[in-house]
Amino acid sequence: MQTVKQIPDFYFYEPDSITVEEHFLISIFNKVIGEDKEIRWVIDYCSDDYLMNIDDANLKKLADHGNASASWVLAHRYLTGNDAAAEKRGFEYIKKAAEQGHVEAHVYLGMMYMEGFGTPSNPQEAFKWYKLASDKGDATAHYAMAQFYANGGVVEQNFDECFKYLRLSAEGGYDDGQAEYAVLLLDRGNITGAIDLLEKSLKQQPSASCMKLAGFALINVGTEECVNKGYECLQYAAKLGEPEACEILETYPTLESLKRYLSK
């Protein structure tokens, strides 16, 4: 590694002669103050994956310098603990990462406030952070916003807003958003669009409840294509232990047995 000349509060080096990793180590072990451009360079070019290999003490240094990714990685280290103290520390660093602009942290912080995970439940704060992430285009946050407008309470119930956010979530590739928006498309007669979305959703990890909902909606349409895809959705939900899906498959253990019943 190139020798770095240190003087109070600053350092010098030849940027083209060292690797990103070396630059990173130099930056965290030298004193950096104010709006130093070189620490910003490290923050821009060091990924979350690289930060996973940095020890807690140095992650804290970077987090204190405003590195949202360092705060994010450190938070997840705390959240792997099984005690309330670790959860609280994890919440603190998730909040720091969110305040430093980490979009995934915005979503995770919204979830923590909603579920009361590491902090007392606060739906209003949850909405605030989900909205910030949604405004930045996060598909998971779009889905959360749809639920807020569907249920009301924190915001006034508004199905037009709910449908808007479900569409954005589906277009963004979020599996549950795709599944629920597919049901809306079925209600509007767009069978091709609905099945296309469900195929995309099934390639990911949608929730059992969303797949059950989609499965029943498809089967109710009654066409062969819809019944085939609906049964596939119910099979997926049953594998995850969804009770109603399991009951249907116990009654109709094969697709053909379901079709025979529907043809009566």
Side-chain angles (χ1 to χ4, degrees):
M1 182 182 294
Q2 178 178 331
T3 300
V4 177
K5 177 183 177 182
Q6 297 186 19
I7 60 174
D9 300 329
F10 297 93
Y11 62 91
F12 300 94
Y13 65 97
E14 293 296 330
D16 296 331
S17 64
I18 60 174
T19 65
V20 170
E21 290 80 6
E22 288 171 332
H23 189 171
F24 179 81
L25 292 173
I26 290 169
S27 297
I28 59 176
F29 286 118
N30 283 282
K31 187 176 181 182
V32 183
I33 63 168
E35 296 298 320
D36 186 277
K37 296 180 179 179
E38 307 314 330
I39 194 73
R40 304 312 311 173
W41 187 88
V42 173
I43 290 171
D44 289 342
Y45 284 88
C46 286
S47 67
D48 288 6
D49 288 340
Y50 180 74
L51 290 170
M52 292 292 288
N53 298 311
I54 303 300
D55 62 48
D56 290 357
N58 286 320
L59 279 176
K60 289 176 181 177
K61 290 180 183 179
L62 279 179
D64 290 343
H65 274 299
N67 188 332
S69 291
S71 298
W72 171 254
V73 172
L74 194 56
H76 282 276
R77 289 187 184 174
Y78 281 113
L79 292 173
T80 57
N82 295 318
D83 60 272
E87 287 180 5
K88 184 177 179 181
R89 290 293 285 161
F91 167 79
E92 290 170 357
Y93 276 99
I94 285 289
K95 191 169 188 293
K96 182 186 281 286
E99 290 170 344
Q100 291 166 335
H102 198 291
V103 177
E104 287 180 90
H106 290 167
V107 177
Y108 209 93
L109 184 59
M111 180 276 292
M112 295 183 84
Y113 273 123
M114 199 68 190
E115 301 295 330
F117 180 42
T119 187
S121 178
N122 189 328
Q124 288 77 18
E125 278 295 299
F127 178 84
K128 166 189 167 182
W129 289 103
Y130 277 130
K131 181 67 164 60
L132 283 172
S134 177
D135 289 345
K136 293 183 179 180
D138 186 272
T140 304
H142 292 327
Y143 181 78
M145 293 294 293
Q147 305 311 305
F148 277 112
Y149 281 108
N151 297 325
V154 176
V155 292
E156 184 177 351
Q157 191 176 56
N158 186 323
F159 289 112
D160 286 339
E161 285 296 287
C162 171
F163 298 161
K164 178 188 81 173
Y165 281 110
L166 270 184
R167 176 180 57 79
L168 290 172
S169 179
E171 290 173 351
Y174 183 61
D175 45 18
D176 281 359
Q178 291 170 330
E180 290 197 25
Y181 193 63
V183 175
L184 293 178
L185 292 181
L186 284 175
D187 288 341
R188 297 173 181 180
N190 187 348
I191 294 173
T192 300
I195 289 178
D196 179 61
L197 274 180
L198 286 168
E199 287 177 348
K200 291 176 180 177
S201 181
L202 283 165
K203 291 177 181 177
Q204 301 181 72
Q205 293 181 323
S207 67
S209 59
C210 285
M211 280 297 108
K212 178 202 71 174
L213 178 68
F216 286 147
L218 283 163
I219 289 169
N220 285 336
V221 172
T223 66
E224 182 174 8
E225 182 181 26
C226 286
V227 171
N228 290 348
K229 184 57 66 177
Y231 195 80
E232 183 183 350
C233 291
L234 291 180
Q235 285 179 313
Y236 176 93
K239 286 181 181 178
L240 296 179
E242 207 292 320
E244 290 183 74
C246 290
E247 184 179 347
I248 290 293
L249 292 188
E250 287 175 6
T251 306
Y252 307 104
T254 66
L255 175 59
E256 291 307 315
S257 64
L258 176 62
K259 287 181 175 179
R260 285 195 295 271
Y261 167 76
L262 293 173
S263 66
K264 291 180 181 180

